[in-house]
Amino acid sequence: GAGVSQSPSNKVTEKGKDVELRCDPISGHTALYWYRQRLGQGLEFLIYFQGNSAPDKSGLPSDRFSAERTGESVSTLTIQRTQQEDSAVYLCASSYRTGTDTQYFGPGTRLTVL
Amino acid sequence: AQRVTQPEKLLSVFKGAPVELKCNYSYSGSPELFWYVQYSRQRLQLLLRHISRESIKGFTADLNKGETSFHLKKPFAQEEDSAMYYCALRDSGGSNYKLTFGKGTLLTVNP
C-alpha cells in the first residue's frame, strides 16, 4: 500500500512569510509524528498525535510553530513568520496505534528560508 | 535528558571488510534502541531494534548497558550497504513514543 506522503517536497520562502506543510499518514495509522532535521543534525521530535487524544506539543521550538490533525488522517504543520533558522527537512511519520509501534517515515519537506 | 551520540560522521570501508558503526547513549531509565537507515534518494526506514535481537541484511547490534552502547556491526560489508545510518533511543516512560536520534553516520562501501 501507499506509504506516508508529504507535500510539498521542497519549499523556498522568504523570511517572515508563513508556510504550511502537509502529511498524509498510512491509512489506518492512528499515531502521527513530526520531526525536524537541520543540516548535519539528527532528527528532533516536534509533535505527536494519537487518535483523538490531546497532542504532545512539547517539541515545538516556539509559538510560531503549530500543527493540526483532522481526525486520524491528514496533518498540517504551520510555521508563521519564518526565520532562517527554520530551514530544515521536516519529516512526518505514522505508526499503527501507539508510539511503541514501528514508525514509518515520509520523504520529507525541505524548507529553505531566504 | 536522553542523548544519542554517533562519534563518526563518515565511515569508509572496502567491500568484504567488517564494519562497525558506533552508537553511545545516555539515559536514566531502561531504553529501547534502534538503528534506522536511509539509502540514497529513499526515505528513512527501520533497520533493526534491540528487543528483536535479530539480524537484518547481515547487520546485528547488541545493547551493552554497562558501556551504554548499541554498536551496529556487519562482518562483510557490501556496496549496497552504503547509506546514512542513524541510531535512535526511545523513552521507556510516559512519553514512550518519542525517538531521540543521533546525528548519523554516512557509510561508504568501496568496491
Side-chain angles (χ1 to χ4, degrees):
Chain A
V4 177
S5 61
Q6 293 185 245
S7 60
S9 56
N10 279 285
K11 176 72 177 178
V12 180
T13 190
E14 293 178 348
K15 178 181 171 182
K17 300 279 190 185
D18 297 352
V19 295
E20 207 170 82
L21 313 180
R22 178 186 168 107
C23 172
D24 279 275
I26 294 171
S27 178
H29 280 197
T30 62
L32 186 147
Y33 319 75
W34 283 98
Y35 293 88
R36 175 173 73 173
Q37 185 175 28
R38 290 168 158 167
L39 189 63
Q41 305 295 312
L43 281 72
E44 305 169 66
F45 168 82
L46 296 178
I47 189 167
Y48 166 68
F49 294 91
Q50 173 53 44
N52 295 318
S53 303
D56 177 353
K57 305 180 181 181
S58 61
L60 294 178
S62 78
D63 59 9
R64 297 186 294 105
F65 287 72
S66 62
E68 292 185 352
R69 187 179 186 195
T70 308
E72 294 183 351
S73 60
V74 172
S75 175
T76 54
L77 177 69
T78 302
I79 309 173
Q80 295 178 308
R81 304 180 302 282
T82 52
Q83 303 294 311
Q84 288 183 333
E85 62 262 28
D86 299 334
S87 295
V89 176
Y90 289 82
L91 288 162
C92 176
S94 70
S95 64
Y96 178 51
R97 288 189 186 280
T98 68
T100 56
D101 292 324
T102 299
Q103 296 182 26
Y104 294 88
F105 284 83
T109 293
R110 181 176 299 277
L111 175 65
T112 303
V113 182
L114 301 177
Chain B
Q2 56 253 43
R3 187 167 62 241
V4 176
T5 302
Q6 294 179 250
E8 304 139 328
K9 289 180 76 171
L10 303 170
L11 183 61
S12 183
V13 301
F14 285 102
K15 176 183 173 181
V19 62
E20 181 180 55
L21 293 92
K22 291 184 167 52
C23 172
N24 289 88
Y25 66 90
S26 63
Y27 182 61
S28 57
S30 183
E32 187 172 3
L33 274 295
F34 304 82
W35 277 98
Y36 280 80
V37 61
Q38 187 166 26
Y39 301 101
S40 179
R41 287 185 288 279
Q42 294 187 29
R43 57 189 68 190
L44 191 65
Q45 59 186 284
L46 178 66
L47 179 62
L48 55 79
R49 54 205 300 177
H50 90 268
I51 59 171
S52 300
R53 301 187 65 80
E54 57 192 342
S55 174
I56 303 292
K57 300 185 179 184
F59 284 98
T60 59
D62 290 318
L63 179 61
N64 185 323
K65 292 185 178 181
E67 296 182 358
T68 59
S69 68
F70 187 57
H71 303 327
L72 184 68
K73 301 177 185 179
K74 184 168 182 176
F76 307 103
Q78 303 299 313
E79 289 180 66
E80 55 266 29
D81 297 328
S82 296
M84 193 75 177
Y85 291 81
Y86 294 94
C87 182
L89 176 153
R90 182 157 68 199
D91 196 329
S92 63
S95 302
N96 62 355
Y97 41 81
K98 289 185 184 179
L99 288 172
T100 300
F101 286 82
K103 293 183 180 181
T105 298
L106 180 62
L107 173 66
T108 302
V109 181
N110 300 297

